Structure formats: structure tokens, C-alpha cells
């Protein structure tokens, strides 16, 4: 855990500092929106991470379900990854929602609109809240299996989030990237955008690793106490 | 025994239990009736507005009502360790799930048969679009509610405060389905837009989640 902090924290902070410098001082001011547009450099990377970590959660959950009988040790590690990435997903999606609202108020004149994209991201947020609630409400060994199953349900929602912008008429800006001809950003804005993606990715990975270590320690403590009570039971029986 | 006969045996048992107790249907019927009456106090059901909001009220009432019944659907298997017997039985677990889904589907459909006419009377409705499409939307929507509902009821069966947990995990996943049901119903009632896209989405949702539930049910049943 100390190693993650020693290496990860300076690297993540350094990249984020470069990203901040690029986004605030280097990137040109947007023609129509002005400085408000700079929130884009935080909003979009957060949302990309919010759509990336659910996949980590999904893969870890599938690994857990596949190996829980054959390789319990690996399954426990996978479950710790699943929990860590679910919590980090929730953080990034929350940041994405809040920065989106901060941007929407001056540009659209409203904090929130029930358009397809915003709604889908809100649904994703709600599903991950329910995922963490399920983990809290269940007890014993079944938590991990039930949560892994719910994670597969949650992951089905993520493609709907991405496709929704094309399926429904929407108030959200048309896709900036891969939206066809005429889309894309000024090349001078690209460095700020990429630095921030790299920075938030590093930050997210560091958080996942820290939370993973914490969960592994909790699992260890739980196993040890279970073992101790088992031994105590045998003592009494003898 | 073939798969279909196992499903039929499970279904027969559920229907007989319900026929003798009528717990689920009575509870759901009165509950959804109450929701409809309460909503008509909350929103004044005058002619012009009612067509816009009736679809939403109908489906929210059904969603709430079906949660009350879905909570009971697996609890009755807990008495006398029936569920443990089911787990040890050599029949495929998905057959048990499919039969439960069909049983709940029938119960909710019965509610709709009673609730539908009441709805038309209370909210002064007549469809401006193609009314016969409701005969497609209702079963598709019910299936979407019941498939995930039955699955999550089984999932939250052995948790603390399970009655609380079911809606907490069912509602978020059901939001896209609810949107599709309400939109297609509103499209039919107002005749302002074509409900085709939403009905296709509802059908897609049904297929995706029914497949997912059938594949994962055994994992849920044997989780410990």
C-alpha cells in the first residue's frame, strides 16, 4: 500500500498539474462559450473514466464468478477489484454529473434536463449506488456472488448509455469525437484534453489500488477470525 | 422429464398456491387501485392532461403493485425449506425461474384486465392513436417488469431487510424499460408520435434480460 502511495501519488498529481496548466493557460478560449468551455477538460475525462471503470468491475465480477469454485484465492482478489472499481466508478460518475450541471447552467440556462444522455448516466449512477447498497445489505459469503451478478446487469446499461445519444433526440451536444465530418475539437485543445485523461486515469488507478489493498486486508482479517473461531470450536470439542 | 414439463409442473404448483390463497392478486389489485385513486387526487384528471400522464400513472402503479407481490413470490418457498429442496432437485434451476416468471406474468396480466377498464373510466380515456397496439405494449411491459422483478426478488431473498432491498435494486435497472412502456403508451393514447421505436426497444429489453436472467439464475439460487 505504501508503494502505491510513494509512486502513484506523485505521478498522478504531476500529470494532473500539467493537465491543469494546459487546460487553464495553454488551451485557446472557445469561440462561443468562452472560459466556461474549459470545464470540458474535466467533465469529459471524468465521464470517460466513469464509463471505463464499470468494465473493470464487470471483468472482475466475471472472473470472480468463473473462479469462485476452482480458485477461491483468485476469486477473492477479483472481488476486491470489483468492489474498488465500483466505488471509483461512483466517484467519477458523480464528478461527471456535477461538472455537467455546472457547465449546463451558464450555457443552457438550466442545471438539468431529462435528455437521453444525462438520464442514462444518472441511471448508471443509480445502478452503482444500488450495487454498493446490495453489498452492504447482504451478509456472509453470498455478498460477493450476488454483487457479481448485479454487476453484469449494470454493465448491460453501459452500452445503452453510449448508444443513447444516437438513438434518441437529445439536447446534449452531438458527439464531439467520432461523430462524423465537422466534429472534433481544435487541435490546440487536444494536449489539455489528453493530459487530463491521462491524469484522471492515473488518479483512478491509484484509488482502485489503494481500495483494493484495503479490501484484501479486510478479507484477511475476516478469514483469520473465522479460522480462529473454528480452532476455538475444536478446542472446546476436545 | 422434458424441460417444458418441468416448467409446467412448477407453474401448476404456483397457480394452485395462488388459487387457494389469492394473496398476491388481492394485494396487488387493491394496491394498484389505491395508487390510481391517489394519483387522481394528486393530479387533476381533466380531459386534456389525463391523456399525457395516464401512461405514466398506469405503469408506475403496476410497478409498485408488482413489487408487493414479487416480495412474496419467493418467501413462500422458504417455509418448510422448500427452496433447499428445489436446490437439491435434479431439474434445471432455470425451469423454476421461468415458471415463476410465467406465474407472475399471469398475475400481473389479471390485474391489468381489471385495472384497464377502471383506468379508462377514471381518466376519461380513449386512444387517439392505434389502440390495438396496447395489446402488444401491455404484455411486453409486464414481461419486462416481471422478469427482472422475479430475478431480483430471488437475489434479495436471503438478505437483511429484503422487502426494502428489492425496489432499491429493481427500479434502477428497470428505468429504461419504464421509459419505453410509458412512452409507447403515451404515443398510443395521444397519437402524437409513433410508438414503434419504443416498442422495439421494449422487446429488445425483454429478450436481453430474459436471457441474462435464465443464464444467471442458477448462480443466484446456489449463492451462499
Amino acid at each position: 500500500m505504501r508503494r502505491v502511495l510513494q509512486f502513484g501519488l506523485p505521478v498522478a498529481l504531476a500529470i494532473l498539474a500539467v493537465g491543469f496548466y494546459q487546460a487553464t493557460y495553454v488551451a485557446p478560449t472557445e469561440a462561443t462559450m468562452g472560459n466556461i468551455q474549459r470545464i470540458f477538460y474535466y467533465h469529459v475525462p471524468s465521464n470517460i473514466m466513469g464509463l471505463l471503470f464499470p468494465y473493470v468491475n464487470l471483468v472482475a465480477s466475471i472472473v470472480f464468478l468463473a473462479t469462485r469454485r476452482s480458485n477461491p484465492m483468485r476469486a477473492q482478489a477479483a472481488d476486491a477489484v470489483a468492489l474498488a472499481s465500483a466505488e471509483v466508478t461512483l466517484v467519477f460518475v458523480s464528478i461527471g454529473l456535477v461538472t455537467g450541471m455546472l457547465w449546463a447552467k451558464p450555457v443552457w440556462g438550466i442545471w438539468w434536463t431529462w435528455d437521453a444522455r444525462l438520464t442514462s448516466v444518472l441511471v448508471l449512477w443509480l445502478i452503482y449506488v444500488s450495487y454498493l447498497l446490495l453489498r452492504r445489505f447482504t451478509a456472509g459469503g453470498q455478498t460477493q456472488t450476488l454483487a457479481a451478478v448485479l454487476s453484469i446487469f449494470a454493465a448491460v446499461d453501459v452500452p445503452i448509455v453510449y448508444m443513447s445519444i444516437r438513438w434518441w433526440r437529445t439536447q446534449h451536444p452531438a458527439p464531439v469525437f467520432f461523430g462524423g465530418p465537422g466534429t472534433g475539437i481544435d487541435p490546440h485543445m487536444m494536449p489539455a484534453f489528453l493530459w487530463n485523461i491521462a491524469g484522471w486515469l492515473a488518479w483512478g488507478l491509484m484509488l482502485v489500488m489503494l481500495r483494493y489493498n484495503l479490501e484484501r486486508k479486510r478479507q484477511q482479517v475476516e478469514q483469520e477470525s473465522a479460522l480462529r473461531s473454528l480452532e476455538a470450536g475444536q478446542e472446546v470439542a476436545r | 422429464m422434458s424441460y417444458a414439463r418441468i416448467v409446467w409442473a412448477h407453474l401448476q404448483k404456483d397457480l394452485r398456491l395462488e388459487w387457494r390463497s389469492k394473496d398476491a392478486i388481492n394485494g396487488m389489485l387493491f394496491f394498484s387501485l389505491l395508487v390510481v385513486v391517489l394519483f387522481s387526487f394528486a393530479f387533476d384528471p381533466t380531459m386534456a392532461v389525463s391523456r399525457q400522464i395516464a401512461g405514466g400513472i398506469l405503469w408506475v402503479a403496476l410497478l409498485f403493485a408488482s413489487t408487493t407481490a414479487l416480495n412474496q413470490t419467493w418467501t413462500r418457498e422458504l417455509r418448510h425449506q422448500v427452496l433447499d429442496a428445489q436446490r437439491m432437485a435434479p431439474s434445471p434451476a432455470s425451469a423454476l425461474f421461468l415458471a415463476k416468471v410465467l406465474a407472475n406474468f399471469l398475475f400481473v396480466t389479471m390485474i391489468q384486465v381489471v385495472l384497464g377498464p377502471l383506468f379508462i373510466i377514471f381518466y376519461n380515456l380513449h386512444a387517439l392513436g392505434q389502440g390495438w397496439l396496447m395489446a402488444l405494449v401491455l404484455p411486453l411491459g409486464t414481461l419486462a417488469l416481471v422478469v427482472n422483478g422475479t430475478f431480483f426478488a430471488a437475489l434479495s431473498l436471503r438478505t437483511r431487510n429484503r422487502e426494502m432491498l428489492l425496489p432499491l435494486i429493481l427500479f434502477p435497472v428497470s428505468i429504461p424499460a419504464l421509459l419505453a412502456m410509458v412512452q409507447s403508451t403515451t404515443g398510443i393514447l395521444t397519437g402524437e408520435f409513433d410508438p414503434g421505436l419504443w416498442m422495439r426497444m421494449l422487446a429488445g429489453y425483454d429478450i436481453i434480460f430474459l436471457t441474462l436472467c435464465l443464464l444467471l439464475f442458477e448462480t443466484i439460487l446456489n449463492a451462499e
Side-chain angles (χ1 to χ4, degrees), chain B residues 25-55:
Chain B
I25 290 200
N26 281 341
M28 268 200 290
L29 193 58
F30 193 57
F31 191 94
S32 48
L33 187 66
L34 278 179
V35 174
V36 170
V37 173
L38 286 180
F39 268 128
S40 53
F41 286 121
F43 308 98
D44 190 22
T46 51
M47 266 302 265
V49 194
S50 63
R51 211 170 269 129
Q52 301 279 348
I53 58 171

Side-chain angles (χ1 to χ4, degrees), chain A:
Chain A
M1 185 137 33
R2 189 170 297 150
R3 233 205 257 130
V4 175
L5 276 177
Q6 269 172 355
F7 290 100
L9 191 62
V11 168
L13 282 179
I15 304 176
L16 282 174
V18 177
F20 178 76
Y21 174 75
Q22 290 275 348
T24 320
Y25 300 106
V26 179
T29 308
E30 214 264 351
T32 49
M33 288 181 257
N35 278 328
I36 291 293
Q37 181 266 341
R38 290 182 199 277
I39 211 166
F40 169 88
Y41 302 117
Y42 294 92
H43 175 69
V44 178
S46 296
N47 276 318
I48 290 177
M49 297 308 139
L51 295 184
L52 178 73
F53 281 104
Y55 283 105
V56 178
N57 176 261
L58 173 68
V59 171
S61 300
I62 291 174
V63 170
F64 172 80
L65 285 179
T67 58
R68 80 204 139 104
R69 295 271 156 72
S70 55
N71 190 347
M73 292 307 285
R74 182 184 295 164
Q76 290 298 319
D79 182 66
V81 174
L83 173 62
S85 53
E87 289 185 355
V88 171
T89 299
L90 203 55
V91 172
F92 275 120
V93 174
S94 306
I95 294 175
L97 284 171
V98 172
T99 52
M101 287 186 213
L102 290 177
W103 176 87
K105 181 65 185 164
V107 175
W108 290 342
I110 40 173
W111 294 105
W112 182 264
T113 173
W114 290 100
D115 95 312
R117 197 121 207 239
L118 276 71
T119 314
S120 314
V121 175
L122 184 67
V123 173
L124 180 70
W125 187 84
L126 290 173
I127 290 178
Y128 271 92
V129 172
S130 71
Y131 173 89
L132 293 177
L133 271 176
L134 175 70
R135 294 199 72 117
R136 176 150 295 200
F137 275 18
T138 48
Q142 56 170 342
T143 306
Q144 301 168 330
T145 313
L146 299 184
V149 169
L150 186 61
S151 155
I152 293 175
F153 274 81
V156 173
D157 189 59
V158 176
I160 299 177
V161 172
Y162 189 76
M163 287 310 291
S164 60
I165 198 167
R166 281 145 212 224
W167 281 350
W168 292 303
R169 284 172 60 195
T170 170
Q171 186 169 7
H172 193 277
V176 174
F177 298 103
F178 312 116
T183 58
I185 54 174
D186 188 312
H188 294 100
M189 291 174 174
M190 218 51 193
F193 181 60
L194 292 179
W195 276 106
N196 271 306
I197 288 192
W200 290 110
L201 181 63
W203 184 257
L205 287 177
M206 189 195 73
L207 283 183
V208 168
M209 279 187 237
L210 286 175
R211 186 66 184 88
Y212 169 81
N213 281 325
L214 203 64
E215 177 64 12
R216 290 296 279 170
K217 292 221 162 92
R218 195 198 60 74
Q219 287 175 353
Q220 255 171 22
V221 170
E222 199 175 65
Q223 276 162 12
E224 273 163 25
S225 73
L227 208 62
R228 253 204 306 280
S229 56
L230 208 68
E231 279 167 2
Q234 280 171 345
E235 289 285 314
V236 172
R238 212 176 286 156

Side-chain angles (χ1 to χ4, degrees), chain B residues 151-169:
Chain B
F151 188 83
F152 287 132
L155 191 148
S156 54
L157 184 62
R158 274 158 293 168
T159 60
R160 276 180 283 143
N161 36 17
R162 72 174 86 95
E163 257 101 57
M164 176 91 205
L165 188 61
L166 172 64
L168 293 187
I169 51 180

Side-chain angles (χ1 to χ4, degrees), chain B residues 118-136:
Chain B
L118 273 178
F119 226 79
I120 296 171
I121 296 168
F122 279 172
Y123 289 83
N124 268 328
L125 294 175
H126 65 98
L128 296 181
Q130 293 160 296
W132 61 271
L133 278 176
M134 280 310 285
L136 273 174

